[in-house]
């Protein structure tokens, strides 16, 4: 198993974004697999290992945590794929499988020392990636909640540059669990417990305030175009963001908000609400990378609460959150 302690620390002054393409986590897993494959090719060509110690270095605490989360993601992916094959008309299982695959990919995959087989005298450590026998939708919900909590826990001890990635993994797996539970009539885990005051305090910065205020204005514009009877949830979300802004200001953060936030250019199928959610969640994930454990949970709980429907939750991806 790879020891990732040698990866350089990002200086505190560098803005933290969720790491996706070229991330340290993804690179670590890919590099390890590449080295192992190369060793396997040498063995197949007759290279001698008898006088060499081919035992991999002991993994660091960070690598053990990464491997554990990757295994949980792989199990969820296998379980969702198994359930989808038995119920081809259930799109939720396919969506969960796709989301779990994205998580497995961003984490660099499950590490195996010798994917093509260990050289003589060595064995691969056992890994667990298979779906349980007779897996149920309730089992899968539990797996996704466990994955979500494990990712959030791994964030506690991760390098700062990796925390936003783990937090995005935690958020995506929680969204998948909520939607699956609602579809399958299983008790929903809901979002993490939080208070808006705690979330605002933990995420406080001029940038977070500006992004939140722009999002609130875009929510308001969309609300004005809704039928009166369809506005209640949107108005509640607007009130939530207003209180979040007030919580930030109560920390003494400078009020740098613009009186009018310019509208973004909308791509096909985008709305002001969908763009607002994307930009605000991305900023909150960046802020979560710099918060302590309690602050991260408060920020993620609040971010989770902003997504009001399965349609909105389905728009979230770790890749988009890094933009």
């Amino acid at each position: 198993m790879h020891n990732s302690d040698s990866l350089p620390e990002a200086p505190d002054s560098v803005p933290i974004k969720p790491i996706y393409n070229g991330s340290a986590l993804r690179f670590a897993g890919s590099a390890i697999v590449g080295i192992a494959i190369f060793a396997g090719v040498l063995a197949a060509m007759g290279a001698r290992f008898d006088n060499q110690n081919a035992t991999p270095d002991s993994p660091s605490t960070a690598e053990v945590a990464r491997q554990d989360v990757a295994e949980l993601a792989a199990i969820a992916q296998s379980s969702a794929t198994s359930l989808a094959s038995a119920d081809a008309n259930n799109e939720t299982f396919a969506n969960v499988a796709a989301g779990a695959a994205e998580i497995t990919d961003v984490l660099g995959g499950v590490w195996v020392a010798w994917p093509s087989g260990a050289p003589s005298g060595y064995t691969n450590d056992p890994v667990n990636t298979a779906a349980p026998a007779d897996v149920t939708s309730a089992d899968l919900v539990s797996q996704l909640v466990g994955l979500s909590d494990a990712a959030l826990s791994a964030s506690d001890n991760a390098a700062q540059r990796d925390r936003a990635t783990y937090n995005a993994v935690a958020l995506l797996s929680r969204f998948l669990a909520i939607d699956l539970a609602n579809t399958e009539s299983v008790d929903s885990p809901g979002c993490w417990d939080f208070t808006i005051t705690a979330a605002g305090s933990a995420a406080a910065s001029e940038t977070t305030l500006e992004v939140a205020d722009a999002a609130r204005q875009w929510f308001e514009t969309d609300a004005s175009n809704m039928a009166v009877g369809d506005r209640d949830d949107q108005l509640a979300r607007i009130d939530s963001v207003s209180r979040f802004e007030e919580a930030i200001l109560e920390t003494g953060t400078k009020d740098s908000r613009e009186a009018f936030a310019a509208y973004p250019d909308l791509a096909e199928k985008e709305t002001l609400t969908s763009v607002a959610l994307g930009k605000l969640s991305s900023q909150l994930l960046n802020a979560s990378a710099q918060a302590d454990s309690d602050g991260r949970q408060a920020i993620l709980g609040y971010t989770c609460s902003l997504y009001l429907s399965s349609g909105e939750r389905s728009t979230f991806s770790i890749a988009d959150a890094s933009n």
Side-chain angles (χ1 to χ4, degrees):
M1 193 177 291
H2 176 65
N3 189 325
S4 60
D5 285 345
S6 60
L7 293 175
E9 295 291 334
D12 292 341
S13 61
V14 176
I16 302 300
K17 286 183 175 292
I19 306 163
Y20 187 71
N21 293 322
S23 74
L25 290 173
R26 190 164 184 250
F27 174 79
S30 299
I32 294 164
V33 172
I35 293 168
I37 291 173
F38 178 68
V41 171
L42 290 179
M45 294 173 62
R48 296 180 61 84
F49 290 92
D50 48 319
N51 293 322
Q52 303 177 39
N53 182 5
T55 304
D57 293 339
S58 297
S60 66
T61 301
E63 172 58 18
V64 170
R66 187 211 66 80
Q67 177 81 342
D68 289 345
V69 178
E71 284 192 28
L72 292 174
I75 292 170
Q77 182 182 350
S78 297
S79 297
T81 300
S82 176
L83 289 166
S85 66
D87 187 359
N89 294 323
N90 191 323
E91 294 183 359
T92 305
F93 292 140
N95 291 339
V96 171
E102 179 184 2
I103 291 170
T104 303
D105 181 61
V106 79
L107 292 174
V110 176
W111 185 80
V112 178
W114 297 282
S116 299
S120 177
Y122 295 89
T123 58
N124 279 314
D125 290 336
V127 295
N128 181 18
T129 60
D134 301 320
V135 65
T136 66
S137 55
D139 294 333
L140 182 52
V141 170
S142 295
Q143 290 171 12
L144 291 167
V145 172
L147 169 59
S148 180
D149 291 342
L152 190 55
S153 178
S155 178
D156 288 342
N157 298 312
Q160 190 180 65
R161 65 176 178 273
D162 293 337
R163 288 176 189 161
T165 297
Y166 279 123
N167 296 345
V169 167
L171 186 59
L172 176 56
S173 49
R174 184 63 59 132
F175 282 162
L176 294 172
I178 291 171
D179 287 338
L180 179 61
N182 291 339
T183 301
E184 296 298 300
S185 299
V186 176
D187 288 342
S188 174
C191 299
W192 295 273
D193 291 337
F194 73 95
T195 66
I196 291 179
T197 298
S201 177
S205 72
E206 288 185 44
T207 300
T208 301
L209 180 62
E210 291 165 4
V211 173
D213 192 63
R216 177 185 58 79
Q217 292 185 44
W218 298 342
F219 289 145
E220 289 174 343
T221 299
D222 270 358
S224 69
N225 294 318
M226 293 177 177
V228 174
D230 297 332
R231 295 177 180 174
D232 289 350
D233 288 344
Q234 185 81 337
L235 293 176
R237 176 160 51 192
I238 292 166
D239 178 67
S240 170
V241 178
S242 294
R243 289 188 287 136
F244 178 72
E245 292 179 54
E246 290 301 318
I248 292 175
L249 289 171
E250 287 174 3
T251 67
T253 300
K254 179 182 176 181
D255 191 349
S256 55
R257 293 174 293 181
E258 297 286 343
F260 176 77
Y263 292 135
D265 294 328
L266 299 179
E268 185 177 0
K269 296 184 179 180
E270 281 187 334
T271 65
L272 289 174
T273 291
S274 68
V275 173
L277 281 173
K279 290 186 178 297
L280 182 52
S281 63
S282 180
Q283 175 58 32
L284 290 173
L285 283 167
N286 289 328
S288 74
Q290 302 175 65
D292 62 17
S293 181
D294 289 341
R296 279 195 290 280
Q297 178 170 316
I299 293 170
L300 288 183
Y302 179 66
T303 306
C304 178
S305 75
L306 292 172
Y307 288 76
L308 305 181
S309 67
S310 60
E312 290 183 352
R313 286 186 287 270
S314 69
T315 65
F316 179 85
S317 75
I318 301 172
D320 292 341
S322 66
N323 293 329

